[in-house]
Amino acid sequence: MAEKPWGGVFDQATDRRVEQFTESVSFDQRLFAQDIAGSIAHVQMLAKVGLVPSDEAQQIEHALGEIRDEIEQGRFAFRAELEDIHMHVERALVERLGDVGRKLHTARSRNDQVATDLRLWVRWATDEIDARLVALQRAFVGRCDRDADVILPGYTHMRRAQPVLAPHYWLAYCEKLDRDRGRLADCRRRTNVLPLGAAALAGSSLPIDRQDVASRLGFEGVAANSLDASSDRDFVLEFAFALTMIAEHLSGWGEEWILWSTAEFDFLTLPESFCTGSSIMPQKINPDVLELIRGKTARAVGNLQALLVLQKGLPLAYNRDLQEATLPLMNSFDTVAASLDLAAPLVAGAELNRAAIAERLDRGHLDATTLMEHLIRRGVPQRTAHGLVGRLVRKAMDQGVRLADLPLEDFRQAYPELDAGVYEALGPAKAVAAMISYGSTGPEQVKQQVRRWKESLQLT
Ligand code: ARG
């Protein structure tokens, strides 16, 4: 049985079942690069303050580099009895360097070590997700020119409401993804603080220089309370929430495009290379990727829930429960990163079914609100105008025609001051063209927004 670094006080060997139950190396081995980076910064600091001779610190640094290469190349043996990634790296170091290796853990505990590793990992993961969000935004903005003149029905309550330019839809998703980016940036700021040096919970009686370690690792600050620093996982929860919001956004978009690509809607054709078939129905071309993007959102939500429950009621400082945070964190990251990786090519590769959309755009009286605003411009109070247009829509519905098909006398009957100019407000194209408010779907507004997005995403 491998000797435990904490074995001194024990008379009995650890039960195998305990080793299996308490191990985390099966999942925290993914922290190896962060663990080794943290150890290198730590030993460099130990040398600087004179706690480890410089030549020995160099030996340690070199050996740690070799261990990292071994792990990277899959030549490193992980074993459950060595519990976690921290003990594996340290054991490999001692096997190489003997007593010199036994100095690395000076003024450090696995508690502040895992907190440091996780912060480095979340910082990295945040940047990974951010880059994917940008790629997805680029995919949406990238199709705005292509779809510039396509008018879609806009929906509320899943009922046809008002006409909307297709790029207006695409930029709506860009806005959501931008808030996601903002959440990540905010979370990154609070994550990027060094816990190392908090040791187990109380700090150290040795003359360590935490600021030095922080700057070596690119941390923007040093955590000011060792009890908090060694046990805080707020950043994990914040990141998990930011990931969940992304998943929620993708899930809504996925649902929308699943509907849009049905025969019933017929707005959109998905790229076949991103669809799958049925084992029994030969004709099927299914939107499984979108369904799984929607479905995998459940994992992010579940993981966030698990983290919230895990942290609930934990007294200061480190408790082993916290080890359970690593898996949901990584699972949420993997899930959302994979969904984003597939969302971008789907967005870029789908085609709007222009003819089918245009053919049915006159259904649903999408221009009724613009007609009401036409009356308001003529001095009719909004509530009155709403009622008058409501009657006109009812008349058109009863006759099975569009508002634009009603004769002028019907409009005059509703409001005697109306003239033939009323027809300028009617029809989806004119209703869209009439929009002028900031952030509206008016062509000039949308053009400006597309320009702004192209600039901010460097697409011009
Ligand atoms: N594997 C542990 C974790 O992920 C590392 C810290 C364990 N510390 C301890 N004193 N048992 O939380």
Side-chain angles (χ1 to χ4, degrees), residues 22 24 28 83-84 86 109-111 114 233 318-320 322-323 326:
T22 57
S24 56
D28 69 15
E83 233 174 278
D84 55 29
H86 325 296
S109 149
R110 280 184 295 152
N111 298 349
V114 67
R233 295 292 183 275
Y318 178 84
N319 297 278
R320 191 63 177 269
L322 292 175
Q323 179 172 295
T326 307

Side-chain angles (χ1 to χ4, degrees), residues 335-356:
T335 302
V336 173
S339 291
L340 286 167
D341 278 340
L342 281 152
L346 260 168
V347 166
E351 285 299 336
L352 284 174
N353 303 338
R354 291 160 171 261

Side-chain angles (χ1 to χ4, degrees), residues 215-454:
S215 32
R216 289 178 196 279
L217 291 171
F219 282 113
E220 272 159 49
V222 176
N225 182 297
S226 60
L227 282 169
D228 180 48
S230 55
S231 56
D232 169 34
R233 295 292 183 275
D234 293 1
F235 64 99
V236 173
L237 274 81
E238 282 190 49
F239 183 50
F241 174 72
L243 289 170
T244 306
M245 278 304 290
I246 296 169
E248 297 273 327
H249 288 153
L250 293 181
S251 158
W253 161 76
E255 168 73 6
E256 189 159 276
W257 276 30
I258 288 168
L259 288 170
W260 284 13
S261 58
T262 57
E264 286 71 18
F265 269 81
D266 196 18
F267 286 1
L268 196 71
T269 304
L270 298 172
E272 263 179 33
S273 52
F274 285 81
C275 295
T276 54
S278 157
S279 58
I280 177 169
M281 297 168 285
Q283 87 284 11
K284 292 298 292 290
I285 300 175
N286 293 327
D288 300 46
V289 173
L290 289 172
E291 292 169 89
L292 282 170
I293 286 175
R294 183 179 60 186
K296 284 172 193 268
T297 301
R299 296 198 205 185
V301 175
N303 289 333
L304 177 62
Q305 173 91 342
L307 288 166
L308 287 163
V309 175
L310 177 68
Q311 172 151 316
K312 166 199 155 296
L314 283 188
L316 287 170
Y318 178 84
N319 297 278
R320 191 63 177 269
D321 313 48
L322 292 175
Q323 179 172 295
E324 286 289 310
T326 307
L327 261 180
L329 162 68
M330 291 177 166
N331 185 264
S332 282
F333 168 77
D334 290 340
T335 302
V336 173
S339 291
L340 286 167
D341 278 340
L342 281 152
L346 260 168
V347 166
E351 285 299 336
L352 284 174
N353 303 338
R354 291 160 171 261
I357 294 165
E359 205 179 296
R360 289 165 297 151
L361 200 58
D362 281 323
R363 291 192 201 165
H365 308 288
L366 300 173
D367 47 2
T369 309
T370 328
L371 174 61
M372 178 192 71
E373 293 190 337
H374 181 81
L375 287 167
I376 291 171
R377 233 182 281 113
R378 295 293 182 103
V380 183
Q382 191 271 345
R383 283 290 159 230
T384 312
H386 189 287
L388 292 175
V389 174
R391 295 319 301 163
L392 287 165
V393 170
R394 171 52 64 183
K395 187 171 272 182
M397 280 167 63
D398 289 346
Q399 296 174 16
V401 297
R402 308 169 306 167
L403 282 168
D405 298 324
L406 294 176
L408 184 58
E409 70 200 53
D410 284 342
F411 291 103
R412 283 245 174 86
Q413 206 174 9
Y415 188 65
E417 282 171 48
L418 282 179
D419 55 35
V422 70
Y423 293 100
E424 287 313 302
L426 298 177
K430 285 171 181 161
V432 164
M435 294 294 178
I436 51 170
S437 64
Y438 176 80
S440 72
T441 192
E444 200 42 53
Q445 289 300 318
V446 172
K447 205 178 287 174
Q448 276 178 32
Q449 293 296 327
V450 170
R451 200 177 309 135
R452 177 174 74 83
W453 277 104
K454 281 183 176 172

Side-chain angles (χ1 to χ4, degrees), residues 189-215:
R189 209 164 41 77
R190 275 185 292 279
T191 301
N192 205 17
V193 175
L194 176 82
L196 205 65
L201 77 165
S204 174
S205 60
L206 296 165
I208 54 173
D209 182 348
R210 298 184 62 211
Q211 190 55 59
D212 178 82
V213 179
S215 32

